[in-house]
Amino acid sequence: GRKGDQYDVIEKHTQSGLELVEKYVKFVKERTEIEQNYAKQLRNLSKKYNQKRSNKDELSSYQSFLDILNEMNDYAGQRELIAENLMMNICIDLTKYLQELKQERKAYLMEAKRAQQNLESTYKQLDSSKKRFEREWREAERATQYAEKTDQDINATKADVEKAKQQAHMRAHVADECKNDYAAQLQKYNKEQSHFYFNEMPLVFNKLQDLDERRVRKLAHGYILFSDTEKHVMPIIGKCLEGITKAGTNVNEKNDSMVIIEQNKSGFERPGDVEFEDYSQGINRTSSDSSLGTPKGPMDLLGKNKGKNFWLFSKRSKPTVTEDFAHLPPEQRRKRLQQKLEEIYKDLQKETDQSEALGKMKDVYEKNPQMGDPASLASQINQTSQNIERLRGELNKYEVMTKPGNSPYGCTHSSVDGFVSGNVRSLSSPDGAHSDESTPDPSQAIYAEFDDDFEDEELTAPIGNCTAMYNFPGASEGTISMQEGEVLAVVEEDKGDGWTRVRRNNGDEGYIPTSYVTITLNK
């Protein structure tokens, strides 16, 4: 009846209420995943830019960038906290609550079902007793009519009439009993029906209403938590952002300039005036010789601190001036010569790297004309090889000067040890053993490092790995092809020329453009 309809309405309403909670939990869970990915990407980004430590870290602009990366890492941590708290306080909590609600709802619906079934079975008893009364009453009527008919019948014996009357009397008695039973059943049903509609069902409906309101209240709290969770970390996020602002305000360009000047002071006197050499009067050589020092003008100050990408395309070549520091005392002269050797060695190393990079670029341009015109590199290649020749010449001159017995004073001191000779020797002799007398051939030394690239006997241990973001055909010599998404081992970091050396699982090695991959170096 009516209550049945209401029951269906309430059952459907409470069911869709639970589904809303489930939907909200799912929504928050997906929101949490977005937050986790965001935090993860921020952490990776911070790590990616935080890898290379440079000697520039004492400059405030470099230090501040590191500070920003660290603040961003902390910021990512706060985003992870948001994700964690959303998960714990909303998803997990509401899911647990939902299980309890489902059990409770089920119990109430079962109560209602049982009450309904009881009422139905009482109604069935009522119905059958009513039908029996109806049946018996008809039978009694019939028996009474038969008795009257027999009484009127002149052919009927006295015994027949008596028998018919008895039968009618018995039937009437049975019908009466059925009537009483029906009345009792009716009373019982009406009482139960009233109890069902006025007590049982309202009680169950009230419990369901209370349950539903509790659910709505809990859900509303879940809605508020969605914003509170984020608000909660705002002060710390604010601190991270303040830290980034502070990093910006901490930059002090004047101080940075002072640090640079301090680091790169040459200690040289400025050169004196070049004297007029009057060939018509006998020549005064000595004075002018000592004043022909290498000019240490602003050009050199720049040159020394240029980043790789500056010199990669710089066409400037320094004038060759051999300075023998003859005016200095022996020990200082030895130190100056050694410094000079180191400088030349470094320049030569740079030019050699440059030459190799240009070679690779030319190769790539030849195979992939859309990337550039190989002819455009000709002048740079030419310039670089001239610079290499010139520097080799200088290296030889200075090495001769540093040999014992080549002092202008005629005194001897041990051959230069330390950075240059150590480096050069270890490059040229594989076992690292070397005697002090042997002066290595510099040209051989420079190239010893690159010869390694063509020896397959022992593979260098990878220093990290990388994932290809794009396909690369790897058509030119020395390069290697890769497919988007492929993961390769990094064998040698980008030296500033835009190329990284990688290795496949099968041992194939080669260069790939650094900008085509994302690189993760081992800690």
Side-chain angles (χ1 to χ4, degrees), residues 31-32 35 77-87 229-230 233-234 237:
R31 166 73 181 84
T32 300
E35 197 64 60
Q78 292 306 306
R79 305 307 314 186
E80 281 166 349
L81 196 61
I82 292 175
E84 239 167 75
N85 291 342
L86 286 176
M87 202 63 194
T229 304
E230 198 157 338
V233 301
M234 280 307 171
I237 283 181

Coordinates of all heavy atoms in Angstrom, one line a residue, residues 31-32 35 77-87 229-230 233-234 237:
R31 N 41.9 14.1 -7.4 CA 42.5 15.4 -7.1 C 43.9 15.2 -6.4 O 44.9 15.9 -6.6 CB 41.6 16.2 -6.1 CG 42.1 17.4 -5.4 CD 42.4 18.5 -6.4 NE 42.9 19.7 -5.7 CZ 44.2 19.9 -5.5 NH1 45.1 19.0 -5.9 NH2 44.7 21.0 -4.9
T32 N 43.9 14.2 -5.5 CA 45.2 13.8 -4.8 C 46.2 13.4 -5.7 O 47.4 13.7 -5.6 CB 44.8 12.7 -3.8 OG1 43.9 13.2 -2.9 CG2 46.1 12.3 -3.0
E35 N 47.8 16.3 -7.4 CA 48.7 16.9 -6.4 C 50.0 16.2 -6.3 O 51.1 16.8 -6.3 CB 48.0 17.0 -5.1 CG 48.6 18.0 -4.1 CD 48.5 19.4 -4.6 OE1 47.3 19.9 -4.7 OE2 49.5 20.0 -4.7
G77 N 57.3 19.5 -1.2 CA 57.0 18.8 0.0 C 55.7 19.1 0.7 O 54.9 18.3 1.1
Q78 N 55.4 20.4 0.6 CA 54.1 20.9 1.2 C 52.9 20.4 0.3 O 51.9 20.0 0.8 CB 54.1 22.4 1.3 CG 55.0 23.0 2.4 CD 54.8 22.3 3.7 OE1 53.7 22.3 4.2 NE2 55.8 21.8 4.3
R79 N 53.2 20.4 -1.0 CA 52.1 19.9 -1.9 C 51.9 18.4 -1.6 O 50.7 17.9 -1.6 CB 52.5 20.0 -3.4 CG 52.9 21.4 -3.9 CD 51.9 22.5 -3.6 NE 50.5 22.3 -3.9 CZ 49.6 23.3 -3.8 NH1 50.0 24.5 -3.5 NH2 48.3 23.1 -4.0
E80 N 53.0 17.6 -1.3 CA 52.8 16.2 -1.0 C 52.0 16.1 0.3 O 51.2 15.1 0.4 CB 54.2 15.6 -0.8 CG 54.9 15.3 -2.1 CD 56.3 14.9 -2.0 OE1 56.9 15.2 -0.9 OE2 56.9 14.5 -3.0
L81 N 52.2 17.0 1.2 CA 51.5 17.0 2.5 C 50.0 17.2 2.2 O 49.2 16.5 2.8 CB 52.0 18.1 3.4 CG 51.7 17.9 4.9 CD1 52.2 16.7 5.5 CD2 52.2 19.1 5.7
I82 N 49.7 18.1 1.3 CA 48.3 18.3 1.0 C 47.7 17.0 0.5 O 46.6 16.5 0.9 CB 48.1 19.4 -0.1 CG1 48.5 20.7 0.4 CG2 46.7 19.4 -0.7 CD1 48.5 21.9 -0.6
A83 N 48.4 16.3 -0.4 CA 47.9 15.1 -1.0 C 47.7 14.0 0.1 O 46.7 13.3 0.1 CB 48.9 14.6 -2.0
E84 N 48.7 13.9 1.0 CA 48.6 12.9 2.1 C 47.4 13.1 2.9 O 46.7 12.2 3.3 CB 49.9 13.1 2.9 CG 50.7 11.8 3.0 CD 52.1 12.2 3.6 OE1 52.1 12.4 4.8 OE2 53.1 12.3 2.9
N85 N 47.2 14.4 3.4 CA 46.1 14.7 4.3 C 44.7 14.6 3.6 O 43.8 14.1 4.2 CB 46.3 16.1 4.8 CG 47.5 16.2 5.8 OD1 47.9 15.2 6.3 ND2 47.9 17.4 6.0
L86 N 44.7 14.9 2.3 CA 43.4 14.7 1.6 C 43.1 13.2 1.6 O 41.9 12.8 1.8 CB 43.5 15.2 0.1 CG 43.5 16.7 -0.1 CD1 43.7 17.0 -1.6 CD2 42.2 17.4 0.3
M87 N 44.1 12.4 1.4 CA 43.9 11.0 1.3 C 43.5 10.4 2.6 O 42.5 9.7 2.7 CB 45.3 10.3 0.9 CG 45.1 9.0 0.3 SD 44.2 9.1 -1.3 CE 43.8 7.3 -1.5
T229 N 42.4 21.6 4.3 CA 43.7 20.8 4.1 C 44.7 21.7 3.4 O 45.9 21.7 3.8 CB 43.4 19.5 3.3 OG1 42.4 18.8 4.0 CG2 44.7 18.7 3.2
E230 N 44.3 22.4 2.4 CA 45.2 23.2 1.6 C 45.5 24.5 2.4 O 46.7 24.9 2.5 CB 44.6 23.6 0.3 CG 45.6 24.1 -0.7 CD 45.2 23.9 -2.2 OE1 44.3 23.1 -2.5 OE2 45.7 24.6 -3.0
V233 N 48.5 24.3 5.0 CA 49.9 24.4 4.6 C 50.3 25.8 4.0 O 51.4 26.0 3.8 CB 50.3 23.3 3.6 CG1 50.1 21.9 4.2 CG2 49.6 23.5 2.3
M234 N 49.2 26.6 3.9 CA 49.5 27.9 3.2 C 50.6 28.7 3.9 O 51.4 29.3 3.3 CB 48.2 28.7 3.2 CG 47.3 28.4 2.0 SD 48.2 28.4 0.4 CE 47.0 27.6 -0.6
I237 N 53.8 27.3 2.8 CA 54.0 27.6 1.4 C 54.4 29.1 1.2 O 55.2 29.5 0.5 CB 52.7 27.3 0.6 CG1 52.7 25.8 0.3 CG2 52.7 28.0 -0.8 CD1 51.5 25.3 -0.4

